[in-house]
Amino acid sequence: MKSLFPEAVEHVSPFPVEMSEVSFGYNGSPALRELTFRLVAGGRVAVVGPNGAGKTTLFKLIAGALRPSQGSIRVFGHGAGGHVCIAYVPQRSLIDWSFPVTVAEVVMMGRVRKIGFLRRAGPSDRREVKHALAQVGLQELEARQIGELSGGEQQRAFLAQALAQGAELILLDEPLTGLDAPSQDAILRVLDELRTSGVTVMVATHDLNLASERFDQVMLLNHRLIALGSPSEVLTKDSLLRAYGGHLHALPNDTGVLVLTDTHCEGEDEAA
């Protein structure tokens, strides 16, 4: 029999994120307009676009921190925010690094929704935390206060939190900004290992060359979805000019292919 309330029926979906005609604005100013797309599970997606293009807003909508003004969002078939296995790591500038918690405690926060707010962590939770710390190479720093770590180590600690959570979808907002090459490589190696476990990762970045070289798919935004697909399909001159306009600097390399760089490379400047 057909349900009288089809909107209330949840279904299990193989797609980590499905958006249909999603729009959102801040104080009457549109941030995202009519986004429609579907992601395949287990992929690594670079989300690129100029400052204020809507990257942070997109992540908050998927995580359920914001509600769209129109359209629908499904995460593995559930409403946004209704799925326990979403991990959202915001930009480093938005985190209070003076908060008196250790690295192990930060990672344990990823277990809270599975443990319950009124219960204590058990042996299995502590094992998950130690395993996650080992995956990101921070097991020797678990007793350190989070603010004492380097920028790259802090990002790995929050990535470990996502791993301890058992997240099937990880949203990383500008995780590589301000990090040196070895720190970036350390994070990207962990993301490489997640491919085999079917975890879907979305990473907001300003580095177009990195998006081209290290990601399965690229999502190009500027308030609207300009393009979504493989790097070669998305990072074309026409699409990039549509997204960046005059804020794109093009340099020919030895092969004659244009290397395109966003001239606005600071953190996201969207309204909070």
Side-chain angles (χ1 to χ4, degrees):
M1 179 181 296
K2 186 176 180 179
S3 171
L4 296 177
F5 305 99
E7 69 280 2
V9 177
E10 299 284 3
H11 66 281
V12 176
S13 170
F15 302 107
V17 182
E18 297 173 273
M19 281 196 175
S20 177
E21 299 295 322
V22 169
S23 296
F24 182 85
Y26 295 100
N27 301 318
S29 178
L32 292 172
R33 302 186 188 97
E34 300 175 350
L35 262 62
T36 297
F37 66 86
R38 174 184 284 173
L39 297 183
V40 177
R44 191 156 80 186
V45 183
V47 182
V48 301
N51 280 344
K55 299 186 292 293
T56 295
T57 300
L58 172 65
F59 282 8
K60 289 181 177 180
L61 286 166
I62 295 171
L66 297 174
R67 290 183 176 274
S69 55
Q70 70 176 51
S72 64
I73 305 171
R74 312 293 288 179
V75 178
F76 293 104
H78 299 264
H83 199 281
V84 70
C85 290
I86 304 174
Y88 170 46
V89 180
Q91 296 176 31
R92 291 184 64 251
S93 61
L94 302 179
I95 298 172
D96 180 6
W97 299 109
S98 66
F99 197 74
V101 290
T102 67
V103 173
E105 288 169 339
V106 167
V107 179
M108 183 62 78
M109 291 175 188
R111 303 291 301 168
V112 168
R113 290 183 68 179
K114 293 192 174 183
I115 297 171
F117 288 102
L118 300 179
R119 292 180 55 217
R120 291 186 177 183
S124 63
D125 300 301
R126 288 188 285 273
R127 283 195 298 271
E128 290 291 341
V129 167
K130 287 187 176 295
H131 179 61
L133 285 166
Q135 283 182 277
V136 302
L138 291 182
Q139 60 269 46
E140 302 299 323
L141 301 178
E142 65 175 52
R144 297 274 294 274
Q145 193 271 336
I146 188 68
E148 297 176 357
L149 272 58
S150 69
E153 290 167 342
Q154 289 169 343
Q155 290 289 17
R156 281 189 281 152
F158 275 88
L159 184 52
Q161 182 188 92
L163 298 175
Q165 180 181 334
E168 297 174 57
L169 173 63
I170 300 178
L171 312 173
L172 303 174
D173 197 353
E174 300 286 353
L176 306 177
T177 298
L179 304 186
D180 57 23
S183 296
Q184 290 188 10
D185 286 340
I187 292 171
L188 289 168
R189 281 198 300 272
V190 177
L191 299 185
D192 285 339
E193 294 171 2
L194 292 177
R195 292 180 190 275
T196 59
S197 55
V199 177
T200 304
V201 180
M202 299 180 71
V203 177
T205 179
H206 282 278
D207 192 331
L208 300 178
N209 294 315
L210 181 71
S212 176
E213 295 167 2
R214 301 295 295 268
F215 287 82
D216 308 319
Q217 288 192 306
V218 176
M219 178 182 293
L220 182 58
L221 286 180
N222 193 354
H223 302 297
R224 295 181 183 274
L225 180 62
I226 305 297
L228 171 62
S230 68
S232 62
E233 293 171 329
V234 173
L235 299 179
T236 64
K237 183 177 179 180
D238 288 345
S239 291
L240 289 165
L241 288 174
R242 285 173 60 200
Y244 290 91
H247 299 305
L248 202 65
H249 184 55
L251 296 172
N253 65 14
D254 292 338
T255 65
V257 177
L258 289 179
V259 178
L260 297 142
T261 305
D262 180 6
T263 58
H264 286 183
C265 58
E266 298 301 322
E268 190 73 70
D269 62 0
E270 298 170 18

